[in-house]
């Protein structure tokens, strides 16, 4: 019976966070109230506070779980020890696919992470920096393999991740351009820009 209650608690918690994430995505963190979330989840405000102590804690837990998932995914790709160019391509596709599957949390991490304060803010920023390290390493190895300048790899990494992140402002996965094609297009555009040639190097 105890195990059942624990499972039911976790199931309910996941459902609350799923609905809360969508509500925050629709209205924005600043404009969303606890009453809005209570109404969307068909709960009382007192009932919600059983799962989190404040709206900021709710946002932190949503973003923290998102970054944990993102790090786990990119670590799995990196563990394949594929050539750097292949890693870059797979990182890009991973980022695009993640947006298509998880657009609510993807938008929140971009728009509302600065709403966090103190240790919560620092924890999210540290995980974002850790995520970027994978991109930097792959780009650095690629540039060195190709004899390309590697003086501003951090800038290159931010530019590439930015290209992937901000597709949420305009991209419709249900449109003519499928996620695989978008990932390929971002990859080709970025690599052509690095090499300044008419085709991507695959050496």
């Amino acid at each position: 019976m105890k195990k059942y209650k624990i499972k039911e608690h976790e199931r309910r918690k996941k459902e609350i966070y799923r609905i809360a994430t969508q509500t925050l995505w629709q209205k924005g963190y600043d404009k969303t109230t606890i009453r809005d979330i209570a109404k969307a989840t068909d709960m009382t405000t007192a009932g919600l506070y059983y799962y989190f102590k404040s709206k900021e804690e709710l946002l932190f837990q949503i973003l923290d779980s998102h970054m944990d998932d993102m790090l786990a995914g990119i670590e799995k790709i990196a563990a394949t020890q594929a050539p750097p160019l292949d890693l870059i391509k797979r990182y890009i596709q991973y980022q695009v696919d993640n947006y298509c599957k998880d657009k609510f949390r993807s938008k929140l991490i971009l728009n509302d992470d600065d709403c966090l304060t103190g240790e919560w803010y620092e924890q999210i920023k540290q995980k974002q920096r850790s995520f970027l390290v994978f991109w930097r390493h792959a780009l650095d190895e690629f540039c060195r393999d190709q004899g390309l300048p590697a003086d501003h790899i951090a800038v290159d990494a931010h530019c590439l991740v930015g290209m992937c992140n901000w597709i949420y402002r305009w991209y419709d996965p249900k449109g003519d351009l499928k996620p695989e094609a978008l990932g390929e297009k971002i990859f080709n555009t970025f690599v052509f820009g690095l090499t300044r040639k008419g085709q991507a190097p695959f050496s």
Side-chain angles (χ1 to χ4, degrees):
M1 187 68 177
K2 187 176 181 180
K3 289 184 178 180
Y4 170 78
K5 288 184 177 180
I6 293 174
K7 287 183 179 180
E8 180 60 22
H9 172 81
E10 290 302 315
R11 184 200 67 77
R12 183 56 175 156
K13 182 178 180 179
K14 287 181 180 179
E15 181 66 8
I16 290 169
Y17 276 62
R18 183 188 67 79
I19 297 172
T21 300
Q22 186 170 353
T23 303
L24 290 167
W25 175 82
Q26 290 172 333
K27 301 189 69 173
Y29 177 80
D30 288 333
K31 294 182 179 180
T32 302
T33 66
I34 292 296
R35 288 183 179 275
D36 292 329
I37 297 171
K39 182 178 180 181
T41 55
D42 196 25
M43 295 181 66
T44 64
T45 54
L48 286 178
Y49 284 128
Y50 176 72
Y51 294 93
F52 52 85
K53 303 301 182 185
S54 66
K55 189 175 73 166
E56 185 180 1
E57 182 183 342
L58 169 65
L59 178 65
F60 167 73
Q61 291 186 10
I62 291 171
L63 299 189
D64 193 52
S65 67
H66 178 61
M67 286 310 306
D68 284 344
D69 291 343
M70 293 298 293
L71 282 167
I74 203 167
E75 286 171 0
K76 187 175 181 179
I77 297 172
T80 64
Q81 297 184 334
L85 194 63
D86 290 343
L87 285 179
I88 293 169
K89 189 171 187 177
R90 292 174 67 180
Y91 289 168
I92 291 170
Q93 195 61 56
Y94 172 64
Q95 196 84 343
V96 171
D97 290 343
N98 182 74
Y99 160 73
C100 296
K101 298 173 183 176
D102 196 1
K103 67 178 182 179
F104 301 134
R105 290 195 303 173
S106 296
K107 178 183 177 182
L108 287 180
I109 196 71
L110 293 173
N111 282 3
D112 295 320
D113 59 341
D114 286 343
C115 294
L116 296 173
T117 59
E119 291 186 6
W120 286 338
Y121 175 81
E122 290 302 325
Q123 285 185 47
I124 296 301
K125 288 302 177 183
Q126 180 56 51
K127 290 184 179 182
Q128 289 175 326
R129 288 190 288 268
S130 297
F131 183 75
L132 195 65
V133 165
F134 289 93
W135 298 76
R136 290 177 62 177
H137 284 173
L139 286 167
D140 184 63
E141 290 185 16
F142 167 67
C143 287
R144 294 183 188 281
D145 287 349
Q146 297 296 319
L148 298 169
D151 300 333
H152 302 289
I153 290 298
V155 175
D156 293 334
H158 278 289
C159 289
L160 179 53
V161 174
M163 288 174 68
C164 299
N165 280 343
W166 290 93
I167 62 173
Y168 91 85
R169 297 295 297 268
W170 58 269
Y171 177 59
D172 180 6
K174 297 179 181 179
D176 294 335
L177 188 66
K178 301 305 179 186
E180 296 79 8
L182 176 58
E184 184 77 18
K185 190 170 187 63
I186 293 173
F187 171 77
N188 287 334
T189 299
F190 189 80
V191 171
F192 291 168
L194 279 180
T195 60
R196 300 177 183 177
K197 296 179 181 179
Q199 60 182 11
F202 288 92
S203 59

